Amino acid sequence: MLRLEKRPIPSRFWLYATPVVAVILTMIFGGLLFAAMGVNPFAVIKTIFWDPLFGEFAFYLRGQLLVKAGPLILIAIGLSLGFRAGIWNIGAEGQYIMGAIFGAAVGLAFYPTENRLIFPLMVIAGAFGGWVWAMIPAILKTRFNTNEILVSLMLVYVAQTILAKASTGFLKNPEGMGFPGSRNFSSFPAAANPELIAGSGLHWGGVTAVLVALAAWVLLSRHIIGFQIRLTGQAPRAARFAGVAPKRLVVLCMGLSGALAGLAGLFEVTGPAGQISIDFNVGYGFTAIIVAFLGRLNPIGIVLAGILMALTYVGGEMASTNLGLPSAAIQVFQGMLLFFLLAVDVFTNYRVRFGRVEVA
Amino acid sequence: MLRRTLLASAALGLGLSLASGAFAAGMDKVKACFVYVGPIGDGGWTYQHHQGALELQKAFGDKVEIAWQENVPEGADAERVLTQMALGGCNIIFTTSFGYMDATNAVAAKFPNVMFEHATGFKREHPNVSTYNARFYEGRAVQGYLAGKMTKSNKIGYIASFPIPEVIMGINSYYLNAKKANPNVELTVVWAFTWFDPAKEADAAKALIDSGVDVIASHTDSTAPLAEAAKSEGKVVGFGQASDMAEYKPSPRISSIIDNWGPYYVKRVGALLDGSYAQADAWEGISGGEVKIGEITEAVPADVKAEAEKIRDEIAAGTYHPFTGPINKQDGSPWLAEGQTAPDGDLLGMNFYVEGVTGDIPK
Amino acid sequence: MDIAGINLVTLIASLMVAAVPILLAAIGELVVEKSGVLNLGVEGMMIMGAIGGFMVAVATGSPLMGFIGGAIGGAVLSLFFAVLTLGFLANQVATGLALTMFGLGLSSLMGQGYNGVKPPPTGALFGPLGDIPVIGPILLGHDWMVYFSILIVAVVWWVLRYTRTGLIIRAVGESHDAAHALGYNVARIRLLCIMFGGAMAGLGGAYVSLVRVPQWVDGITAGAGWIALAIVVFASWKPWRVLLGAYLFGGITVLQLRLQAAGSSIPVEYLSMAPYLITILVLVIMSSGRSKAALNAPAALGQNFHASR
């Protein structure tokens, strides 16, 4: 008889060992899947995990990992603050879209003026857009006690409709021959968010993600608000006695996560994506929820989880192009990785005991 | 800006030696790569492009190697996938969705020796970027004629996706030719605001049917509208879209527009092999084989079928243009004078309904 | 019976059909959440049901077998969730999202080669009775799954409210520690609830691929699972309100397309956001001015249970 026994304190060893174990397990089971599909499993796994980091084209792909991980980290950190306090914003995708639209609209309003102030202004507008979109569920929650999971999720669909309207209507490129999509920011230097060092993949979004991760770490470990967030998540009643105003915390956490998601959208639209288009959003807002949990809601963990996630995307794409795997196989592989990461995590907080349960 | 681009190309220079080949030299073996916006299993747009890729493989056998990537989001991901492909030795890359336009041109700038072919776009900023598209409105004309003749209620419907020129062009062509066949015809357009959501497409078809429409054309990708029409026991008919959708023959699917990219892919890669490749802006229709009219079934009376086939052949021969004046815009202002045919530029940027279509284009 | 060019009879008849997938998935998720488990993987389980049901129906030629296959498909995928959250005490939110990703990929792998295949048809249950004016299309003109979905709602309501099983499920969802102390096997009860939720989501998915669309294409459920999740919260965990929510949502979706077909002058983009905005609005009205208890959320929702606590 196997049973789990809670550890008095989380195991330091397993804290670092679990990701490694999970990746190895995924390689074994994923390898079996690829072998069953008639592809050399060793080639696939090398392509996914090794090539983007150390392969022939790593000089390019390492940067791309940053491009892919940046928005995931930025959004996940914002979400993790709320999740810790039991505030469930699952509509980051919508806030990401609105940040992009607000920021892009401000930038395009100045086209073709060249001024150093335009980009900072857009950054503010982007954060504002995401913040506003997150404030809707936050205020409905504090005023009417409306469930924030539902409202934030519903608002994703509304944001998508607004995005479609923006790209076919009010932000449409007037020189785009009637096609949907805004002007491309790469041809509007004052509003663009290019790579800071050519070939590095690092743009302002990546820089911001790192800064935000550090700030969140400081906030959680050193600041009274961080303490309040952690306390509310662990013991809501005690938090109330300790003088935490729950409504203020909802507004703060939702607002922060919305603003960060909005920032991610703004950096993406002005940089890697380049323009507002109907299909601008690619699910970062949802994937970031997984990243937040994989990182155990810890800022440093989230940075690592974001990079791992990006690795499976970038490497998975290569495996799929070079080895002719359907992209669905990669998706299954990613799903497996997440399952194993989530499963082995149990050993951090619990130990396995053999023998019968003793009656207390 | 310039400095940044130069640095980037220097950094990527390593990969260039792999991507050998030049414009006029001719090649022994070509690696052709395809970037798809959806899954191959979508049964529509991406599926048809992949069929074209397979046809290409078959046509040249050992001389061509193909590779592809499904489900590539437009934007940053497209740029990365394109760069990976170019680095990985692809000689020619087909980017099969409008949203890849800027990414295609950006990557093409860094890989002057790799040929890029962008579907449905208009930007060719570098000598190694070509664009290709198909004149689907020609197929819509044949469908419009059939719709005008087959409707008993004089109400025909169109399930539209997004308000973009491609779709508006199709609606106008469908309507004008239906009107020609049947002056009493009325067109109802429903905007689904999606390319692909089978359940919503089914609802849209049902909404049209319940409002009295008995011929439905769709510009979304799934067979759901046909399946909905099938439930009417022969009262409602429709058309296959993108692929033949032969499983709904002979009714409700009375004909179809098939996106047939194979001939173009064979032609372009063939040109790369024999050294005759040159930058191009291809917009072929029924005559070039890119738009195929699927079999008109026995549910259509023989004389109507014959006339529809005649329209198809006249379009192919260039003796009939689906947009031939006099045509006014919806607001009554003149667009084409008597006998004038629509210039390609007007069609590619089309943002208005022609006279007689009711409702507004969402703005 | 026409209002603004919309025929009410056909509107009601078609919204009943449109709502079936989200209704089934939502009623399953309601039971799961009542037992204190939040499974966000509904979309993944639905699409596994869609492909599972489709494959079985095509292989056997029987739609009934297809629906059973769909339920099994969804339930099998839900087992992954159960093992992770109950056995390995993994976070439910993250596991649910991973489940959706896994299910979407796996269904696409399994579905290769099923493009363009037509499944066996599922006919109307009462045949010609459906042609009776007004009541025919609304009450008698549907396939059996429409009635089955309503029946399931009634059964779930009855079980949760009047039976011992229901009491145990609710007890586990309100306080797993108390239920454990009373001698109930919390993990086993939750496992069964999760599998029921998976089976219902699978049935809903199978309804999409066998009746609503009917064909197999990648990503066929197109987000219906997310709507089902929203409807459970919207219904404040009450079975009949799930029915109401699903019909309301299905109704607004169908209505907006019909308004377009009727030539309404309301701009399309506002119509297409309407289902989401109206859902929010109704929720605000329902939740305002009530105490927290009236919202009815299971107290232990989303928390994992470990016996040694």
Side-chain angles (χ1 to χ4, degrees), chain B residues 174-190:
Chain B
Y174 181 67
Y175 175 75
L176 285 172
N177 289 279
K179 187 96 180 164
K180 225 170 260 174
N182 175 355
N184 296 321
V185 85
E186 279 176 45
L187 173 68
T188 308
V189 182
V190 171

Side-chain angles (χ1 to χ4, degrees), chain B residues 265-288:
Chain B
Y265 293 156
V266 170
K267 187 170 94 189
R268 295 302 276 173
V269 173
L272 203 56
L273 282 166
D274 68 22
S276 64
Y277 188 91
Q279 184 180 31
D281 170 20
W283 200 23
E284 303 277 347
I286 294 175
S287 63

Side-chain angles (χ1 to χ4, degrees), chain A residues 52-287:
Chain A
L53 291 171
F54 309 108
E56 193 180 359
F57 306 123
F59 66 92
Y60 172 71
L61 294 173
R62 277 184 215 144
Q64 289 301 306
L65 288 178
L66 288 182
V67 171
K68 197 81 193 168
L72 285 176
I73 295 171
L74 205 50
I75 302 171
I77 287 188
L79 293 178
S80 70
L81 296 177
F83 289 172
R84 274 180 177 244
I87 297 158
W88 300 100
N89 174 12
I90 64 170
E93 186 81 359
Q95 294 142 20
Y96 171 86
I97 294 173
M98 293 313 281
I101 293 178
F102 270 65
V106 166
L108 291 171
F110 287 106
Y111 183 87
T113 321
E114 289 291 330
N115 189 314
R116 275 163 190 277
L117 292 176
I118 293 176
F119 190 68
L121 201 61
M122 289 168 70
V123 171
I124 294 167
F128 178 76
W131 179 80
V132 163
W133 213 239
M135 271 304 109
I136 300 172
I139 288 172
L140 290 179
K141 166 116 180 152
T142 51
R143 287 289 302 254
F144 303 108
N145 206 12
T146 313
N147 185 297
E148 77 278 15
I149 299 183
L150 173 63
V151 177
S152 60
L153 180 63
M154 288 283 126
L155 286 173
V156 174
Y157 298 96
V158 178
Q160 269 169 349
T161 319
I162 295 176
L163 178 67
K165 194 171 161 55
S167 32
T168 56
F170 60 89
L171 289 183
K172 189 164 78 172
N173 182 358
E175 287 151 29
M177 305 191 49
F179 282 86
S182 73
R183 281 182 200 281
N184 199 308
F185 286 98
S186 62
S187 55
F188 180 17
N193 172 27
E195 282 179 320
L196 296 171
I197 307 161
S200 69
L202 188 70
H203 57 76
W204 284 113
V207 174
T208 313
V210 174
L211 293 178
V212 166
L214 289 174
W217 184 76
V218 171
L219 178 84
L220 283 171
S221 56
R222 298 275 182 277
H223 196 276
I224 179 74
I225 291 177
F227 171 73
Q228 292 188 344
I229 288 173
R230 284 184 291 143
L231 190 61
T232 309
Q234 284 159 4
R237 275 172 58 83
R240 209 160 296 188
F241 291 128
V244 179
K247 290 190 175 180
R248 239 190 54 205
L249 205 61
V250 169
V251 171
L252 183 82
C253 287
M254 290 292 281
L256 261 179
S257 57
L260 289 178
L263 274 182
L266 177 274
F267 289 129
E268 191 72 10
V269 77
T270 48
Q275 63 173 157
I276 292 279
S277 62
I278 294 175
D279 301 308
F280 162 70
N281 59 313
V282 295
Y284 281 129
F286 291 112
T287 313

Side-chain angles (χ1 to χ4, degrees), chain C residues 168-194:
Chain C
I168 298 169
I169 292 174
R170 282 185 291 143
V172 168
E174 289 302 326
S175 168
H176 42 223
D177 294 321
H180 176 71
L182 287 171
Y184 294 116
N185 186 335
V186 173
R188 186 190 300 156
I189 292 157
R190 286 191 169 165
L191 170 70
L192 292 173
C193 288
I194 290 170

Side-chain angles (χ1 to χ4, degrees), chain A residues 68 165 184 317 321 327, chain B residues 69-70 77 80 102 363:
Chain A
K68 197 81 193 168
K165 194 171 161 55
N184 199 308
E317 257 165 29
T321 315
S327 66
Chain B
Q69 176 70 45
E70 304 167 78
D77 296 283
R80 179 180 62 249
D102 290 328
K363 286 243 161 62

Side-chain angles (χ1 to χ4, degrees), chain B residues 41 191 203 210 223 227 247, chain C residues 115 118 212-213 215 258 260:
Chain B
W191 295 93
D203 285 338
D210 286 341
T223 52
E247 65 272 24
Chain C
N115 278 133
K118 227 159 81 167
R212 281 271 279 150
V213 175
Q215 61 166 349
R258 270 155 206 271
Q260 286 194 45

